[in-house]
Amino acid sequence: MSTATIFVTGHRGLVGSALIRRLTGLGDYNLLVRTHQELDLINQSAVNDFFANNQIDYVFLAAAKVGGILYNSQYQADFLYENMMIAGNVIKAAHEFNIKKLIYLGSSCIYPKHAPQPIKEECLLAGPLEPTNEGYAIAKIAGLKLCEKFRLQYGKDFVAVMPTNLYGPGDNYHPEHSHVIPGLLNRLHHAKINNLPEVEIWGSGAPRREFLHVDDLAEALILLLKTDTKNFIPDTAFHSIINIGSGVDIEIKELALLIKKVVGYQGEVVFDLTKPDGTPRKVLDISRISNLGWKPKIELEAGLEESYRWAIENNKI
């Protein structure tokens, strides 16, 4: 019996690289990857040709245009168009070429800005989105809805997972385009080595966020790969969405002080109250994935220490 082939899109990104590490360790699959230069997922014809020329069994759709709050808010048209095209092309090809299962990586930003906490999957489309990343969120909603509609119309085993804020090896440490954890690690590290007296952080520090180590997410994704989810449709409000998070949130101020400790920075952390905070609180209800037997294993401080070591060893900061 031949070994199944898994196409991991976005294999050099945070999620994709974690999947490659874990799947390689299992040794049970043939892994298929392409760089953006080798395969432009925005090009529908190229995507169809690729699927036609490869015997693909499973797809992890982890490719996306991503960035932090500033980058997201400044380039919303790009985020909307590129992410919508990537999702549409890959999901449609997975249908056309009879892929056994597709797992689509969404984002917790799809949920309303003021959703009840913790956020259940049923909260989708129940209120306005956070304006600063509306373009990205709408693209992700389009992708998960496409999974849902192919599931309902054609019986496809297409699952959309909604991870919380992720961090870990493979993260983006760009000083302007990174998310909160790599951004803070970068800034506090440079403040330490340059003996700066203080580091300024956007906003009040009061918003609460949930964080998950990307290796914990990879474990959840592989569990879903191996689980028969084709008929996993509990009610009409949920067709293909599964939240994945830690179930625990932390104030941004607390996070900044924890990263200050991990980095060993001795100066002060101050907050710029003139800058936006974004969503006041965001933590996911992870009952669905927990009911399948999954739970995160990596504590936040230990994960931050590992991330900091990785960033230094790989010259990312």
Side-chain angles (χ1 to χ4, degrees):
M1 181 172 152
S2 61
T3 304
T5 296
I6 301 179
F7 177 34
V8 181
T9 74
H11 70 283
R12 296 197 293 192
L14 178 62
V15 175
S17 60
L19 275 168
I20 293 296
R21 286 195 302 274
R22 187 68 185 96
L23 290 166
T24 301
L26 291 175
D28 297 333
Y29 305 98
N30 293 321
L31 300 183
L32 186 61
V33 298
R34 291 293 186 274
T35 64
H36 175 70
Q37 290 72 29
E38 293 169 329
L39 176 61
D40 182 2
L41 297 177
I42 296 174
N43 184 324
Q44 186 178 56
S45 177
V47 171
N48 288 340
D49 288 346
F50 177 77
F51 274 77
N53 293 324
N54 291 277
Q55 295 295 317
I56 302 170
D57 298 293
Y58 304 102
V59 174
F60 282 108
L61 182 38
K65 183 180 181 67
V66 297
I69 183 171
L70 178 62
Y71 197 48
N72 250 317
S73 61
Q74 289 179 333
Y75 300 98
Q76 296 222 32
D78 296 340
F79 276 87
L80 175 55
Y81 172 76
E82 293 186 30
N83 285 304
M84 197 162 54
M85 292 299 292
I86 290 168
N89 290 339
V90 176
I91 293 168
K92 183 65 158 55
H95 162 65
E96 294 289 343
F97 293 93
N98 296 312
I99 301 306
K100 294 176 182 177
K101 177 178 286 189
L102 178 142
I103 298 179
Y104 171 73
L105 273 294
S107 165
S108 59
C109 75
I110 63 161
Y111 292 117
K113 179 174 181 177
H114 298 291
Q117 305 290 322
I119 305 172
K120 294 180 178 291
E121 289 88 348
E122 293 89 342
C123 290
L124 179 67
L125 299 178
L129 300 166
E130 163 58 44
T132 58
N133 65 358
E134 186 181 69
Y136 179 73
I138 288 174
K140 285 297 181 181
I141 291 170
L144 74 89
K145 280 294 180 181
L146 196 56
C147 287
E148 174 188 295
K149 301 314 178 187
F150 274 115
R151 189 180 182 100
L152 292 173
Q153 185 174 342
Y154 295 103
K156 297 293 182 176
D157 192 1
F158 293 175
V159 179
V161 302
M162 299 303 119
T164 191
N165 299 293
L166 300 170
Y167 72 100
D171 217 337
N172 171 25
Y173 284 83
H174 190 283
E176 295 177 2
H177 304 160
S178 61
H179 288 111
V180 60
I181 283 181
L184 287 174
L185 282 168
N186 194 358
R187 294 180 69 187
L188 288 165
H189 171 75
H190 283 281
K192 179 182 77 169
I193 63 176
N194 291 302
N195 296 311
L196 299 181
E198 66 178 35
V199 172
E200 186 178 86
I201 295 173
W202 272 32
S204 67
R208 300 185 67 87
R209 294 289 183 271
E210 174 189 25
F211 297 96
L212 180 71
H213 194 285
V214 71
D215 287 349
D216 278 332
L217 172 64
E219 292 289 344
L221 295 176
I222 291 168
L223 172 63
L224 289 172
L225 179 70
K226 296 179 176 181
T227 300
D228 181 7
T229 54
K230 193 168 184 179
N231 298 310
F232 184 40
I233 307 176
D235 53 56
T236 56
F238 164 78
H239 296 299
S240 62
I241 314 173
I242 300 177
N243 287 340
I244 304 180
S246 64
V248 178
D249 58 352
I250 182 174
E251 265 195 357
I252 294 298
K253 183 176 182 179
E254 293 179 66
L255 175 68
L257 294 176
L258 183 57
I259 291 176
K260 175 185 173 181
K261 174 186 172 185
V262 166
V263 170
Y265 173 58
Q266 300 300 313
E268 295 297 318
V269 174
V270 297
F271 293 86
D272 182 354
L273 302 181
T274 67
K275 296 297 192 297
D277 273 338
T279 305
R281 185 185 183 217
K282 191 164 66 175
V283 61
L284 298 179
D285 183 308
I286 57 171
S287 300
R288 295 196 194 283
I289 188 68
S290 298
N291 288 340
L292 292 178
W294 174 89
K295 65 179 180 179
K297 299 174 183 176
I298 302 171
E299 296 291 337
L300 182 57
E301 185 169 353
L304 291 173
E305 290 171 350
E306 180 204 18
S307 298
Y308 185 45
R309 286 194 302 271
W310 180 89
I312 292 173
E313 289 168 1
N314 289 274
N315 299 313
K316 298 298 182 180
I317 57 177

